[in-house]
Amino acid sequence: MTWPAEVSAYFWSGFLWRGALLSVEITAVAMTIGLFLGLLLALVRLSPIRLVSSAAWFYTWVVRGTPQLLQLVFIFDALPLIGIKFGSFTTAVIGFSLNQAAFAAEVIRGGILSVNAQQTVAASSLGMGPVLTLRRIVLPQAMRAILPALANDTIGMLKMTSIASVIFVDELTFRSQEIVGQNFKFFTVFAGAGMIYLVLTSIISLSQAGLERWLDPERRATLRLPRWLSGLAQPQALAAATLTQTELAALLPVAAVKSSEQAIPFVVCHNVWKGYGGRKVLTGAALTVHAGEVVAVIGPSGSGKSTLLRLINHLDSIDQGEITVAGRYVGYVKQDGRLKPTGGRARARAEVGVAMVFQQINLFGHMTALENIMEAPIHVHGLPRAQAEAEARRLLEVVGLTGHAHHYPQHLSGGQQQRVAIARALAVKPRLMLFDEPTSALDPELMGEVLSVMRTLAEAGMTMIIVTHEIRFAREVADRVLFFDGGVVVEEGSPSEVLDRPRKERTRRFLNLITQGTGVMPEAAAPFHASTRPS
Amino acid sequence: MRLLVLSLILLAAGGFHSAAKAAVPAECQDVAKKYPSLAGKTLHMGADPQTPPYASLDPENPGKLVGSDIDLAKAVFDCIGVKYEIQPAAWSGLFPAVLAGQIDLMYYLYYNKSRVEKGDFIVYMKAGTGAITQAGNPKHIISGEDLCGKIVATGLGSVEEAQMRELSTKCTTSGKSAVEVMTYSDHAAGFRLVANDRADIMLTDLALVDKTVADNPKTYVRAYGVISGFQIGVAVKKGNTELEGAILDAMKAVQAAGIQKQIFAKYGVDPSLELPAELKTN
């Protein structure tokens, strides 16, 4: 037999393929278990509790730091001495999964850390709990970073199963060695076995490429929606105003708020204190907002405005004081006269009906505009998919983005993204909307479209707290303006009181500073985008 | 699940073998009676199929093991009257598996002081060391005396490796060049060292050397062979008296009937290496 014929004969050898099948079986089972354990381990490693994260670190340290061959022999030959006896296949699966868990944990942890933390904040603000956020928002985005490393691990494991021959696993490499031990034709035998490995690892590589393609939102988008079709749906310059107030009101739970809870203030912040690492940000801030009221909060950067918003929907916990929304604490219980944070904050947020729009927008990067909006209604509020989609499409109409339903955030302008974010917040039917400098990250020419949507909302009777630098917008839309500085409310009143006739010197200074860029007085400061933010 | 299927197949195969085997010596009747606790049991034996002529794959049927140890083991099992399974594994995993109780026994383990502290031995043959070199013996090596200054390949952790380290010291103290020892993890790798001129000579089991030379006369030649003082036995877990007794008695019966010599001859192992069976517990 010529050597190519011999290599081919070994490549087609059923004896070797049965060994390969064993390697594949061990790899498949061990990889599945290893990934699951690895995910748990990664989460434990990310735990804020020191003892818990140290335990996971210790496990990783031991398992990664000792040879796998010794681990296998230990499980197979040492555990029987204390009465625990596993067969060779089971031992291999246990050994390889435990090992994979340690390696995968680090890979998964890296993937999770690679996802912008703001994505979690945004999900949380929509009422999504930690597990849901991990499953729907963080892991799908982390997967793109995790996958190449996991494919490496899978290929590595498939080949590493050969070391299990010391524990009676009769796999591919060992079988080829057995043949060589009998006939010494190492070149042709190993070449044939090598080709079998190549076939198997190629399948893994191809699966990796396929999965990467599937995880890439852009390429997935082209798969789902052919170019010629998406071309038909041209972006519409449709203004939000085209929707009637009654139509919009139907989408919002505003009416319910007004009838039942008008009597008591909807949001009450009383003597709120908050510090970060010794720096006091809020020093006894107080705020009352009635249902249906639009309150604009202005003030210098770093004055604690945004922090107050984050405390109202409990994205951060307060140090002292009290905050109630619709008469209840959001994710706190009162204990010994102080508020103590509890679990289930996301749930509480969803129940009370608080939604938030962020300066950094924070749309979910792996979802289309439509999917971003549908996410919380389906997975938090349990809406049927069809209904959620219908409502999401109407909300897109409200914000004037009908043609962009299937576009991913990276293909939308900043203004369009922020309008999707507003629609996403509205989709959970909030009774209170918090806006944290929603136009600060936008180019001046894109601010108008966002502010226009917000104006429509205000007119529809939504309760809103808006942290903003757009003085003219505040004047037009707000029922009340608060000037915030040094962690407290310095002055508050109607827009004309605070903006035109400020009583406090600090307010006056701030307003002068902020309108200096335009060279006009606040009451005349025309375009929203002409303002300069104080540094 | 897979294990279950695998065991069933092996069990079926094992059962078939014992059924097909004829010519069980008459003395075996007594062995079966003497150890009734073993009746109906399946004994698990481990073997490294990279150790021809003792254990290797059947070239006609690679799923099956053949060799002198395999045939001898089968003769002994049949004599005891038990079912058996022979499982392939890498050599270094065999003895630990015996001690852990993952398998019941293994063949062809050199008996020595440290090993007998952990396991019991039923010795059945003397060890011989063969020296294999390139065809034509270009370095003219005819005895252990000639190894100073040569590159010698030995199995990792083998008795030959220990001997060579010792010899190397002797060489240098008597003013000669040291022995350069290269170790290999499987025999095929060791033979490749010689074939590729990376080592001048390889020391390993005598029968293995003779078989390799017979199969590849154009590549190798035996430089020399010695019967060493070592004894080779079946290793079982310490204190497993029923099994030890049964193997000892069955081995004696097989030897008395001349079966061991026949098997040795069949696989090219020198029949004079047979050692009267004896139990070693210390």
Side-chain angles (χ1 to χ4, degrees):
Chain A
M1 207 159 29
T2 59
W3 71 263
E6 226 172 74
V7 171
S8 155
Y10 285 119
F11 173 73
W12 291 111
S13 147
F15 177 69
L16 289 181
W17 274 100
R18 278 191 294 281
L21 181 66
L22 190 56
S23 305
V24 169
E25 284 174 343
I26 292 172
T27 306
V29 181
M31 202 68 199
T32 310
I33 300 174
L35 282 186
F36 179 72
L37 292 178
L39 176 61
L40 290 184
L41 208 58
L43 296 178
V44 171
R45 276 275 266 147
L46 291 167
S47 161
I49 305 164
R50 189 68 176 265
L51 194 72
V52 172
S53 66
S54 308
W57 176 86
F58 180 78
Y59 173 86
T60 310
W61 178 66
V62 171
V63 174
R64 282 204 310 186
T66 52
Q68 203 171 355
L69 178 68
L70 301 190
Q71 295 168 10
L72 288 176
V73 171
F74 181 84
I75 298 169
F76 192 72
D77 291 329
L79 291 186
L81 303 180
I82 56 165
I84 305 168
K85 194 161 162 182
F86 298 114
S88 36
F89 184 81
T90 315
T91 303
V93 165
I94 294 173
F96 281 100
S97 347
L98 293 184
N99 225 275
Q100 181 55 30
F103 282 90
E106 290 300 282
V107 171
I108 293 172
R109 193 169 65 95
I112 289 175
L113 292 177
S114 77
V115 176
N116 189 336
Q118 292 299 322
Q119 294 274 305
T120 309
V121 174
S124 181
S125 79
L126 291 169
M128 298 175 71
V131 177
L132 185 63
T133 303
L134 182 74
R135 185 167 67 80
R136 299 280 313 167
I137 307 301
V138 178
L139 282 184
Q141 297 187 69
M143 268 319 286
R144 292 189 66 190
I146 293 173
L147 194 70
L150 288 189
N152 266 354
D153 282 2
T154 311
I155 289 175
M157 190 193 287
L158 183 76
K159 297 192 289 183
M160 269 294 263
T161 52
S162 61
I163 65 169
S165 59
V166 292
I167 55 159
F168 292 78
V169 172
D170 194 13
E171 53 63 67
L172 179 52
T173 296
F174 188 58
R175 283 185 178 220
S176 61
Q177 285 176 320
E178 290 170 38
I179 298 178
V180 172
Q182 186 267 321
N183 66 13
F184 297 101
K185 293 178 177 171
F186 66 92
F187 178 76
T188 49
V189 177
F190 290 162
M195 282 164 59
I196 295 176
Y197 274 116
L198 264 181
V199 169
L200 297 175
T201 54
S202 301
I203 292 171
I204 297 172
S205 301
L206 284 175
S207 317
Q208 176 192 357
L211 275 172
E212 278 185 21
R213 200 184 163 82
W214 181 70
L215 284 171
D216 185 342
E218 290 196 37
R219 293 163 91 174
R220 193 165 32 150
T222 58
L223 292 179
R224 183 182 302 168
L225 199 70
R227 194 171 290 278
W228 62 269
L229 196 63
S230 62
L232 288 179
Q234 283 299 321
Q236 295 178 19
L238 186 74
T242 57
L243 205 77
T244 66
Q245 297 301 329
T246 35
E247 279 176 317
L248 178 58
L251 288 169
L252 307 173
V254 172
V257 175
K258 285 199 167 169
S259 57
S260 62
E261 283 157 343
Q262 189 97 60
I264 53 156
F266 195 65
V267 181
V268 179
C269 302
H270 175 64
N271 190 27
V272 173
W273 290 73
K274 177 70 182 176
Y276 293 101
R279 196 173 70 86
K280 296 227 179 312
V281 178
L282 294 180
T283 51
L287 169 73
T288 306
V289 180
H290 288 272
E293 211 179 2
V294 176
V295 173
V297 181
I298 59 170
S301 290
S303 60
K305 314 181 295 285
S306 299
T307 304
L308 186 66
L309 285 195
R310 294 171 61 83
L311 293 185
I312 289 174
N313 70 347
H314 202 170
L315 288 175
D316 265 335
S317 294
I318 57 174
D319 292 345
Q320 265 185 60
E322 245 186 64
I323 296 176
T324 57
V325 180
R328 59 174 278 187
Y329 304 119
V330 182
Y332 294 101
V333 285
K334 196 153 191 174
Q335 227 171 45
D336 308 325
R338 290 176 70 117
L339 293 190
K340 197 169 161 288
T342 59
R345 275 174 230 175
R347 175 56 43 195
R349 215 172 278 139
E351 282 167 9
V352 172
V354 194
M356 187 158 175
V357 173
F358 302 87
Q359 179 180 349
Q360 307 90 336
I361 306 173
N362 302 335
L363 287 181
F364 304 134
H366 61 304
M367 294 181 179
T368 62
L370 194 67
E371 288 165 343
N372 260 282
I373 302 171
M374 290 159 62
E375 182 63 18
I378 294 177
H379 295 283
V380 177
H381 297 276
L383 238 61
R385 202 176 174 83
Q387 192 187 340
E389 183 172 338
E391 286 184 14
R393 285 187 186 279
R394 291 192 62 196
L395 283 166
L396 275 175
E397 207 181 315
V398 170
V399 298
L401 291 173
T402 311
H404 295 279
H406 297 293
H407 290 177
Y408 284 88
Q410 67 265 35
H411 295 308
L412 298 173
S413 72
Q416 290 170 333
Q417 285 186 36
Q418 193 60 295
R419 285 188 278 158
V420 173
I422 294 173
R424 179 177 69 171
L426 289 174
V428 298
K429 298 222 161 45
R431 298 190 293 171
L432 170 65
M433 285 280 283
L434 306 174
F435 290 88
D436 186 7
E437 304 196 24
T439 57
S440 297
L442 301 181
D443 288 335
E445 73 269 24
L446 299 177
M447 287 179 185
E449 58 191 62
V450 174
L451 295 176
S452 150
V453 168
M454 289 168 65
R455 188 178 297 114
T456 313
L457 275 182
E459 286 161 5
M462 173 61 76
T463 312
M464 293 159 71
I465 303 177
I466 305 165
V467 169
T468 185
H469 290 294
E470 304 308 319
I471 301 299
R472 180 176 158 188
F473 177 71
R475 181 198 305 280
E476 269 181 30
V477 173
D479 298 312
R480 209 143 44 90
V481 174
L482 269 70
F483 175 65
F484 213 85
D485 195 12
V488 289
V489 177
V490 174
E491 184 166 355
E492 67 170 293
S494 70
S496 58
E497 280 169 359
V498 177
L499 298 176
D500 301 338
R501 297 181 297 281
R503 280 164 290 145
K504 299 278 169 63
E505 175 57 29
R506 272 154 87 186
T507 318
R508 215 170 291 138
R509 262 211 315 272
F510 173 73
L511 287 171
N512 278 338
L513 194 69
I514 204 166
T515 50
Q516 241 168 28
T518 61
V520 284
M521 286 305 290
E523 61 266 36
F528 309 134
H529 53 265
S531 62
T532 335
R533 264 187 291 155
S535 50
Chain B
M1 185 57 205
R2 170 175 187 92
L3 278 180
L4 186 71
V5 172
L6 197 73
S7 339
L8 283 177
I9 293 170
L10 283 171
L11 231 128
F16 174 76
H17 279 304
S18 30
K21 217 57 170 194
V24 175
E27 294 88 335
C28 293
Q29 293 290 335
D30 301 331
V31 180
K33 272 184 210 148
K34 201 168 157 191
Y35 305 98
S37 71
L38 292 175
K41 271 202 175 166
T42 302
L43 292 178
H44 297 262
M45 165 176 162
D48 182 2
Q50 302 175 86
T51 51
Y54 305 102
S56 66
L57 295 185
D58 182 348
E60 309 302 319
N61 176 8
K64 219 178 115 206
L65 297 185
V66 292
S68 62
D69 278 342
I70 303 295
D71 280 11
L72 185 58
K74 285 177 179 175
V76 167
F77 288 138
D78 289 338
C79 179
I80 301 170
V82 284
K83 286 181 246 159
Y84 55 87
E85 263 179 47
I86 302 176
Q87 302 164 332
W91 175 257
S92 54
L94 294 177
F95 193 47
V98 168
L99 303 182
Q102 289 280 11
I103 54 173
D104 296 302
L105 68 145
M106 65 181 289
Y107 270 64
Y108 201 78
L109 189 64
Y110 278 38
Y111 158 80
N112 67 28
K113 275 273 172 279
S114 61
R115 282 175 182 162
V116 81
E117 280 169 17
K118 296 173 188 149
D120 289 341
F121 285 72
I122 299 100
V123 295
Y124 61 92
M125 72 180 286
K126 290 176 275 190
T129 297
I132 189 168
T133 185
Q134 295 87 3
N137 198 350
K139 297 277 166 83
H140 310 291
I141 300 163
I142 51 162
S143 79
E145 314 281 303
D146 303 328
L147 295 180
C148 294
K150 302 289 189 301
I151 304 172
V152 181
T154 68
L156 182 64
S158 63
V159 290
E160 290 87 3
E161 184 190 355
Q163 288 170 345
M164 283 306 110
R165 305 265 179 223
E166 202 177 312
L167 176 65
S168 189
T169 326
K170 278 186 195 156
C171 292
T172 44
T173 47
S174 61
K176 293 184 208 162
S177 307
V179 179
E180 192 181 324
V181 184
M182 284 180 90
T183 56
Y184 53 82
S185 56
D186 61 282
H187 287 123
F191 288 122
R192 287 200 292 275
L193 289 177
V194 175
N196 297 332
D197 284 334
R198 293 182 200 277
D200 297 322
I201 201 146
M202 164 178 165
L203 297 181
T204 186
D205 180 81
L206 182 57
L208 175 57
V209 165
D210 287 345
K211 182 187 182 323
T212 307
V213 170
D215 290 349
N216 308 275
K218 284 183 193 156
T219 315
Y220 306 108
V221 70
R222 185 174 109 179
Y224 63 88
V226 287
I227 305 292
S228 59
F230 290 104
Q231 299 181 335
I232 297 172
V234 180
V236 300
K237 197 175 176 175
K238 201 140 199 72
N240 195 346
T241 45
E242 283 278 295
L243 182 59
E244 286 164 11
I247 293 175
L248 179 65
D249 290 356
M251 188 73 84
K252 279 179 176 163
V254 166
Q255 287 181 340
I259 295 174
Q260 183 176 344
K261 282 202 168 70
Q262 283 168 25
I263 292 171
F264 275 19
K266 177 180 166 191
Y267 287 97
V269 182
D270 186 350
S272 71
L273 290 175
E274 180 181 301
L275 192 68
E278 186 191 341
L279 176 65
K280 302 265 195 182
T281 57
N282 55 50

